[in-house]
């Protein structure tokens, strides 16, 4: 209903509105830094958020996708719809008039696809944009990542017994010789 209005506010008390209610449509976005994950093997990643309320029913499941990167504060008309990535996961938490509920979406593929970038943006959107299904989410979302770090390559390793430098393919190290 306000396609040129930015709804980005500094108040943590404000909720993120996602879905359609009357003539209002909206998507919710989260941004997380990724620099600390450079060089890591991503095993799993999950976006955790709390759905606070339903503002309009019936429901339409909620999809999570990668988005952007687009600078914060953009409006509906400034939203570059070409920046939406493929659907990573879909959840349908709660039911009409249900209370707060924790939701976890699998975003492993999205995090893997953005490794090397300074950040990842994840967007929540209704599966059916035309369904009257408005949900409110807390801004306090978390990105949980399970990863593996490859060990550092040893420099100048040696065997202590018997004393011998590590070998190469052309001159392998031999430990104990067969008679």
């Amino acid at each position: 209903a306000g396609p040129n209005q930015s709804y980005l506010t500094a108040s943590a008390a404000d909720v993120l509105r996602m879905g359609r209610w009357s003539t209002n449509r909206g998507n919710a976005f989260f941004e997380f830094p990724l620099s600390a994950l450079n060089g890591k093997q991503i095993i799993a990643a999950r976006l955790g958020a709390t759905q606070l309320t339903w503002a309009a029913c019936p429901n339409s499941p909620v999809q999570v996708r990668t988005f952007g990167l687009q600078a914060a504060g953009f409006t509906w008309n400034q939203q570059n719809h070409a920046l939406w990535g493929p659907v990573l996961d879909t959840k349908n938490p709660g039911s009409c008039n249900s209370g707060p509920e924790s939701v976890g979406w699998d975003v492993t593929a999205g995090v893997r696809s953005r490794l090397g970038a300074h950040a990842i943006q994840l967007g929540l959107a209704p599966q059916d944009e035309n369904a009257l299904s408005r949900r409110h989410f807390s801004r306090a979302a978390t990105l949980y990542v399970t990863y593996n770090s490859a060990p550092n390559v040893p420099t100048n390793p040696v065997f202590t017994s018997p004393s011998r430098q590590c070998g190469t393919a052309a001159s392998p190290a031999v430990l104990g010789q067969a008679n």
Side-chain angles (χ1 to χ4, degrees):
N4 294 310
Q5 170 67 41
S6 174
Y7 292 93
L8 179 68
T9 65
S11 172
D14 286 347
V15 297
L16 298 175
R17 295 162 181 86
M18 192 268 341
R20 186 168 165 238
W21 178 71
S22 183
T23 59
N24 300 306
R25 283 182 27 200
N27 300 316
F29 299 92
F30 300 101
E31 183 173 307
F32 299 96
L34 286 183
S35 299
L37 296 174
N38 287 343
K40 308 293 186 200
Q41 174 194 14
I42 304 303
I43 297 167
R46 183 174 62 88
L47 172 63
T50 301
Q51 176 181 286
L52 298 171
T53 59
W54 286 58
C57 299
N59 66 2
S60 177
V62 180
Q63 297 178 335
V64 64
R65 300 173 171 204
T66 55
F67 185 79
L69 296 172
Q70 188 165 346
F74 58 89
T75 68
W76 185 268
N77 283 344
Q78 293 170 329
Q79 182 181 175
N80 184 345
H81 295 283
L83 295 177
W84 284 102
V87 174
L88 300 170
D89 196 9
T90 303
K91 299 287 184 196
N92 196 8
S95 59
C96 263
N97 301 318
S98 63
E101 184 166 337
S102 294
V103 187
W105 290 272
D106 180 356
V107 295
T108 306
V111 171
R112 286 178 181 157
S113 75
R114 300 295 169 108
L115 281 181
H118 74 279
I120 185 171
Q121 287 177 341
L122 297 168
L124 302 181
Q127 185 173 345
D128 180 356
E129 291 182 0
N130 296 314
L132 287 174
S133 180
R134 181 75 151 200
R135 299 171 191 245
H136 294 176
F137 287 90
S138 168
R139 290 174 169 261
T142 305
L143 181 63
Y144 300 95
V145 181
T146 304
Y147 63 89
N148 187 29
S149 297
N152 293 330
V153 176
T155 57
N156 199 24
V158 295
F159 295 104
T160 56
S161 177
S163 179
R164 170 79 198 232
Q165 294 288 90
C166 285
T168 64
S171 174
V174 178
L175 296 177
Q177 296 187 32
N179 292 335

